[in-house]
Amino acid sequence: RFAWDSEKDIENQDKHGVSFAEAQYAFADSRRVIAEDLSHSGREKRYYCFGKVGGGILTVRFTYRGGVIRIFGAGYWRKGKAIYEHENTV
């Protein structure tokens, strides 16, 4: 299950051109990479999911709350693509 803040979703679409509904598909990639976001894990642990969506590698920022994946950011970022490619060529 997935959840997100609808206002944050609109902001993300305006800023990065990706909806959180689209971002869910990164988790469906069998070669996805999940990594902890060590620089932003304060009160709760935060993570990145790097997964192929369409023709690119999408980075999704998320956390787990009550057994639900809560998405709070997504975009096609070069660093995420580099991590995905590195992890899938080792």
Side-chain angles (χ1 to χ4, degrees):
R1 290 188 19 215
F2 294 89
W4 54 78
D5 178 282
S6 58
E7 288 182 26
K8 198 94 160 118
D9 181 28
I10 292 167
E11 288 175 22
N12 198 81
Q13 289 178 55
D14 290 343
K15 188 173 183 181
H16 302 293
V18 179
S19 72
F20 291 166
E22 179 184 1
Q24 295 176 88
Y25 290 102
F27 293 86
D29 179 359
S30 62
R31 297 174 54 192
R32 73 188 171 278
V33 176
I34 304 292
E36 187 175 350
D37 180 355
L38 297 174
S39 61
H40 294 102
S41 289
R43 294 176 299 157
E44 64 185 355
K45 289 189 180 213
R46 294 186 172 196
Y47 303 90
Y48 294 106
C49 174
F50 309 105
K52 188 172 276 196
V53 177
I57 306 304
L58 187 61
T59 299
V60 182
R61 296 175 59 225
F62 71 99
T63 192
Y64 294 104
R65 287 189 191 155
V68 175
I69 295 171
R70 184 157 182 91
I71 297 172
F72 52 86
Y76 290 96
W77 300 313
R78 287 185 302 270
K79 186 175 181 182
K81 181 180 179 191
I83 292 168
Y84 180 91
E85 290 173 346
H86 177 266
E87 292 297 318
N88 280 295
T89 57
V90 176

